[in-house]
Amino acid sequence: MTSHLKYTIPLAVLLTGVAYPILNRVHFYQILALIVIAFTATLPWDSHLIKTGVWTYPSEVVIGPKWLGIPYEELFFFIIQTYITSLIYILFNQPLLHAQYLKSQRNAPTWINLTKLGGGLILAGLSALGGYLAFGIAGEFTYLGLILVWACPFALITWILAGKFIISLPWMCTVLPVLLPTTYLWLVDELALGRGTWSIESGTKLGRCLFGVLEIEEATFFLVTNMLIVFGLATFDQYLAVIYSFPHLFPEVPQAPSPLMLLQGRFKGTSSYDMERIRGIKEAVIRLKAKSRSFYFASSVFTGRLRIDLVLLYSFCRMADDLIDDATTHEEMMTWVTKLYRFLDFYYDRDATAGETTRRKKVNQLEVDKFIVTEFPPSAKSALKLLPTDILPGHPLYLLIDGFKMDAQFRTEKNTTDRFPIKEEKDLIQYSLCVAGTIGELCVSLIVYHFGSSCSPVALNAMLDASRQMGIALQYVNIARDIQVDAKIGRVYLPMSWLKEVDLTPEKIIQDPLCPETFMFRERLLDEAFRLWTYARPLMNGLPDGGRGPMVVAVENYMEIGRILRENPRRVRTVGKATVPVSRRAWVTIKALISA
Ligand SMILES: CC(C)=CCC/C(C)=C/CC/C(C)=C/CC/C(C)=C/[C@@H]1[C@@H](COP(=O)(O)OP(=O)(O)O)[C@]1(C)CC/C=C(\C)CC/C=C(\C)CCC=C(C)C
């Protein structure tokens, strides 16, 4: 027991503390299921080892009761090892959106098929070799044989079920969660064996050590059991990814899918997978990773289908914003604006004067697809096709395009004051409401759809209002950070009325974006942003479980940009350099998850 108190329990406690902020109900069930499987699979095997005298425990070292001849300390080891390795796997895998790795399920590249075949043959071969060593040759090969013949068939089953998925995952997410706990347990075992906690009887072992007094058999045992745990967790993740990725196969997904649903995920043939959707999800993740450090980082704490829908929403917003930003003339910008409105018209009926939008009952998807292919560049296709219009309200989407239309005004050829649409503070509020308040509303709609069936209409309205204000706050931070960058492309979002107060004009800001007044206006924008944040932040506590913590992370990571700007009043954005360092983001994330 002392080795547990000294080595395994402290590590488990430490890992629990580190992983606690991201752990959710699904992780809990995953770990529990793995522990039950590991325990039941190891129990008869271990008991056999002890009965046949392969393993002994010196009575002066092992105290307390036994079950089926196995000391409680050893039984506890099955649990704690599974727990430790599972937490390490979860920590490495949380940043990944597993859905994108389903791409290898159909028409996988040859190297994946060959690796799966090779791995399967190796595991089958090791299983057979294990049987031969344990029961054929026996003697000093007994223990090694028993390890192989017991563990390799289990590993083979998971490999058959999820081999391609496991191979597609980055090695950091599979190899490291095997190697890290294995190395740790090797070192612990070296110390425990050295002190005679347990021992393998001579005559049933090879008598060779990997290093020090760590027997080859013990080293193999830790390696293969950690492999089994990681393969088992990856198999769960593959079926969860199927459930989360395909609304046409699983229209409703609870916060924690049931074992029956997981089984259904297993038995849905890959021919029913929508591979175009998987490619689109992958493209959306690539876009998010390339364009926004804040939201990419925050996306990793979301889970399930909500995470996929948010990434798809981001991809649509970013793609639309880029189409407008990259256009070279006002006319081109307006063409994109018109096409984006027409795209939305396929799904929604907008009454612009009443400010109301209703979802169309029937959508001719073939017509939409044709429109997308003929009117938009190929890079925009997946972002348009996968926008979850069946969940998102139409009104904020139209308002978002209204906001982009205001951006187009900056490009008007006419050299008149029309070129600068932000004349008064109310224009700045309206602009920010369009491009960011809408995003807040869309995010809340997604969270409530996925997790908040019990939300009352009054509570929902209060949250929607707060979400618009929070969006405006984030947009002010964005404008404050980018005053100089925007001025370079001829955009001045500072209200002309503010500029007038100090005898400035938008043209003068464009000529000299580093003049002292811009830093003064930056402070003013940030003050307003934090005022709005102070109002809206407490209302986020009303968001449903499952969406609340991660959304607070997203908001706080963005507001942290504002805090850093306040700490460094003369700091100017440099291209390619993160405003918020990774360590500070991590700390903000932990604080946000704990406070929510
Ligand atoms: C976690 C995750 C993937 C979230 C996705 C959020 C999302 C859909 C963002 C869309 C971003 C986007 C490209 C919008 C187009 C218009 C625009 C440029 C808006 C500015 C965003 C900055 O994005 P950008 O890619 O430029 O990021 P970088 O600065 O380059 O890092 C905005 C500043 C708007 C962002 C606004 C929000 C995310 C809304 C915030 C409000 C809530 C989340 C609601 C809170 C709820 C309550 C109840 C208060």
Side-chain angles (χ1 to χ4, degrees):
M1 198 63 200
T2 41
S3 47
H4 283 308
L5 287 174
K6 242 173 142 176
Y7 302 111
T8 58
I9 295 176
L11 179 62
V13 171
L14 179 76
L15 286 169
T16 309
V18 175
Y20 179 75
I22 56 160
L23 289 179
N24 58 41
R25 230 187 301 169
V26 176
H27 293 135
F28 173 75
Y29 292 138
Q30 250 180 319
I31 298 177
L32 192 68
L34 246 285
I35 287 178
V36 171
I37 295 170
F39 195 84
T40 358
T42 322
L43 196 67
W45 178 80
D46 206 335
S47 174
H48 174 78
L49 288 185
I50 291 167
K51 274 194 196 129
T52 50
V54 176
W55 249 359
T56 55
Y57 297 91
S59 52
E60 69 282 5
V61 177
V62 175
I63 34 158
K66 295 178 182 176
W67 189 39
L68 297 174
I70 311 170
Y72 275 21
E73 287 98 314
E74 177 69 0
L75 295 171
F76 180 70
F77 181 77
F78 305 159
I79 297 172
I80 198 105
Q81 183 196 356
T82 311
Y83 182 72
I84 287 173
T85 307
S86 298
L87 285 184
I88 295 176
Y89 171 90
I90 288 168
L91 282 170
F92 277 97
N93 276 268
Q94 189 62 26
L96 289 191
L97 181 53
H98 282 128
Q100 55 186 315
Y101 299 99
L102 291 177
K103 70 178 191 304
S104 59
Q105 295 302 304
R106 248 187 16 222
N107 304 327
T110 318
W111 75 269
I112 289 196
N113 287 327
L114 285 179
T115 313
K116 183 172 177 192
L117 181 68
L121 289 175
I122 291 174
L123 288 171
L126 286 174
S127 308
L129 178 70
Y132 177 65
L133 293 179
F135 308 113
I137 309 183
E140 59 190 17
F141 289 101
T142 308
Y143 186 31
L144 185 62
L146 284 173
I147 293 172
L148 295 179
V149 77
W150 163 76
C152 292
F154 283 117
L156 183 59
I157 294 170
T158 47
W159 189 254
I160 291 168
L161 294 175
K164 285 188 196 172
F165 182 72
I166 295 169
I167 298 164
S168 328
L169 292 176
W171 67 271
M172 282 256 299
C173 305
T174 49
V175 178
L176 282 188
V178 173
L179 290 188
L180 290 180
T182 301
T183 315
Y184 183 77
L185 290 173
W186 281 354
L187 296 174
V188 171
D189 195 63
E190 162 82 2
L191 295 170
L193 267 179
R195 287 172 48 257
T197 304
W198 61 69
S199 59
I200 311 163
E201 284 302 287
S202 54
T204 59
K205 63 178 178 183
L206 291 169
R208 299 223 178 98
C209 294
L210 188 65
F211 56 80
V213 288
L214 175 68
E215 313 264 0
I216 290 279
E217 289 86 347
E218 280 305 296
T220 312
F221 175 80
F222 292 131
L223 181 66
V224 294
T225 44
N226 283 328
M227 240 171 74
L228 279 178
I229 298 166
V230 167
F231 282 12
L233 289 165
T235 310
F236 270 106
D237 278 342
Q238 174 180 318
Y239 300 141
L240 282 172
V242 172
I243 293 169
Y244 293 145
S245 303
F246 302 126
H248 74 287
L249 298 178
F250 296 93
E252 305 271 320
V253 179
Q255 213 169 331
S258 63
L260 180 68
M261 211 175 217
L262 280 171
L263 267 182
Q264 288 170 336
R266 158 74 192 99
F267 288 109
K268 295 280 179 206
T270 53
S271 57
S272 64
Y273 291 5
D274 179 352
M275 297 315 279
E276 203 183 336
R277 185 172 165 84
I278 297 302
R279 277 191 292 277
I281 292 174
K282 191 173 167 58
E283 277 170 35
V285 174
I286 292 172
R287 184 171 271 136
L288 173 63
K289 190 173 179 184
K291 299 283 180 158
S292 176
R293 286 189 183 91
S294 317
F295 294 124
Y296 179 68
F297 198 84
S299 76
S300 66
V301 283
F302 284 92
T303 49
R305 195 169 281 172
L306 172 64
R307 179 169 176 177
I308 295 178
D309 283 342
L310 277 170
V311 173
L312 294 176
L313 173 63
Y314 179 89
S315 181
F316 170 82
C317 298
R318 188 72 272 162
M319 172 281 302
D321 195 27
D322 285 352
L323 279 180
I324 316 278
D325 282 354
D326 298 344
T328 46
T329 62
H330 175 71
E331 283 65 38
E332 194 190 339
M333 282 173 144
M334 287 310 292
T335 312
W336 291 127
V337 166
T338 313
K339 285 183 182 178
L340 288 165
Y341 281 137
R342 281 179 57 205
F343 166 74
L344 293 179
D345 290 341
F346 281 106
Y347 297 99
Y348 308 97
D349 216 348
R350 185 193 204 192
D351 181 346
T353 40
E356 275 171 19
T357 313
T358 45
R359 189 169 288 116
R360 287 189 195 280
K361 290 207 170 54
K362 272 202 173 145
V363 178
N364 184 338
Q365 200 52 51
L366 283 178
E367 228 179 282
V368 186
D369 292 352
K370 197 170 150 211
F371 176 74
I372 293 174
V373 172
T374 51
E375 302 296 332
F376 287 94
S379 58
K381 190 177 156 201
S382 62
L384 289 159
K385 269 201 87 166
L386 297 184
L387 179 70
T389 46
D390 51 335
I391 307 175
L392 295 170
H395 186 60
L397 289 170
Y398 279 96
L399 269 187
L400 178 69
I401 313 300
D402 290 347
F404 295 154
K405 200 167 151 186
M406 283 174 89
D407 275 333
Q409 231 170 300
F410 286 111
R411 265 305 153 71
T412 176
E413 300 300 316
K414 286 178 256 154
N415 207 3
T416 64
T417 48
D418 275 357
R419 229 185 94 199
F420 299 104
I422 315 288
K423 296 190 170 44
E424 309 280 336
E425 199 170 329
K426 70 173 176 28
D427 300 320
L428 177 63
I429 297 173
Q430 181 59 24
Y431 171 74
S432 305
L433 179 72
C434 287
V435 296
T438 52
I439 307 290
E441 194 173 338
L442 292 165
C443 290
V444 169
S445 307
L446 285 180
I447 295 176
V448 170
Y449 174 83
H450 286 292
F451 296 133
S453 48
S454 60
C455 219
S456 76
V458 178
L460 180 60
N461 274 333
M463 272 186 312
L464 286 174
D465 177 60
S467 68
R468 289 181 209 110
Q469 304 305 318
M470 188 62 100
I472 297 175
L474 265 57
Q475 185 59 26
Y476 278 24
V477 170
N478 182 288
I479 294 175
R481 180 193 61 188
D482 289 344
I483 294 178
Q484 287 76 19
V485 178
D486 288 332
K488 275 197 189 145
I489 53 166
R491 295 184 186 182
V492 179
Y493 293 100
L494 299 167
M496 283 163 79
S497 57
W498 287 12
L499 300 180
K500 225 170 171 180
E501 288 168 17
V502 287
D503 234 4
L504 276 176
T505 59
E507 286 86 352
K508 282 190 188 158
I509 299 284
I510 291 171
Q511 269 166 21
D512 184 12
L514 288 169
C515 68
E517 288 82 356
T518 53
F519 295 98
M520 186 185 85
F521 290 129
R522 183 156 100 177
E523 290 296 308
R524 193 161 164 182
L525 281 168
L526 292 175
D527 287 348
E528 192 51 22
F530 280 97
R531 191 187 64 77
L532 292 167
W533 173 85
T534 309
Y535 153 73
R537 174 63 189 83
L539 283 146
M540 290 188 81
N541 296 338
L543 285 170
D545 280 355
R548 185 176 55 248
M551 217 41 190
V552 173
V553 171
V555 163
E556 287 306 308
N557 263 291
Y558 214 88
M559 290 307 288
E560 200 64 13
I561 299 175
R563 292 188 190 103
I564 288 195
L565 293 178
R566 274 181 150 182
E567 286 162 18
N568 309 275
R570 303 283 302 185
R571 185 184 172 133
V572 177
R573 189 181 193 190
T574 34
V575 178
K577 211 159 171 249
T579 316
V580 185
V582 175
S583 55
R584 188 152 168 176
R585 275 197 203 291
W587 180 233
V588 171
T589 303
I590 293 167
K591 271 197 304 186
L593 285 172
I594 291 171
S595 74

